[in-house]
Amino acid sequence: MTKNAPPVDETIEFDREIAELEQAIVDLKQRQVDIQLAAREQVVLQRQRNELTHQGSKHPEVKQELELIRSRLEQLDITLESRLLNEWKLMWEPFWQAVRFGGLGMAIGWFISTWGR
């Protein structure tokens, strides 16, 4: 082993962290694809629902089709709402950083303003 080489434990840990990061990126890309597909499917189903509604819901097969569409739209809403929650989680840390440092800046400004009098 050379003098400047990192210890084996650090190398293994670094490789593990890189593998976790790569997997997180793959998962994120798959989530993005899933959300895009859900959004497209939602638009198509809403159009189908509107067309069936205009045709009239007196026929049992139309009612059944409308019920299936309604059920699938509810599932898609859940998928898309989870996207919103994930986006909020991503914004959570920057939000609190802004609150913390903005509040700190206001406190320092207030202190300087009262100290200067």
Side-chain angles (χ1 to χ4, degrees):
M1 191 152 103
T2 63
K3 264 185 165 178
N4 295 334
V8 175
D9 291 342
E10 288 180 13
T11 303
I12 292 171
E13 180 68 21
F14 181 74
D15 290 343
R16 185 187 60 75
E17 289 177 5
I18 292 293
E20 287 176 2
L21 182 59
E22 288 172 345
Q23 184 59 46
I25 290 170
V26 168
D27 293 344
L28 183 61
K29 286 181 179 181
Q30 183 59 47
R31 177 94 175 118
Q32 180 182 11
V33 168
D34 292 344
I35 289 169
Q36 288 172 342
L37 290 173
R40 288 181 191 141
E41 185 179 358
Q42 185 181 35
V43 169
V44 169
L45 289 173
Q46 287 172 341
R47 285 182 188 153
Q48 287 178 351
R49 182 186 62 192
N50 290 340
E51 289 173 9
L52 288 172
T53 303
H54 290 304
Q55 289 178 3
S57 59
K58 295 179 182 178
H59 304 291
E61 57 273 352
V62 173
K63 285 183 180 180
Q64 184 179 9
E65 184 69 24
L66 281 171
E67 183 60 30
L68 290 172
I69 290 173
R70 184 193 61 75
S71 173
R72 183 63 185 144
L73 282 171
E74 287 175 1
Q75 292 172 351
L76 291 172
D77 282 342
I78 291 169
T79 299
L80 295 173
E81 285 173 3
S82 70
R83 178 181 118 199
L84 179 63
L85 293 174
N86 285 338
E87 288 175 0
W88 172 249
K89 287 179 184 177
L90 292 175
M91 294 300 296
W92 188 254
E93 184 65 26
F95 170 76
W96 283 112
Q97 291 292 332
V99 168
R100 183 172 77 189
F101 290 117
L104 182 61
M106 289 178 61
I108 290 172
W110 175 76
F111 175 74
I112 290 173
S113 128
T114 56
W115 180 62
R117 288 185 189 169

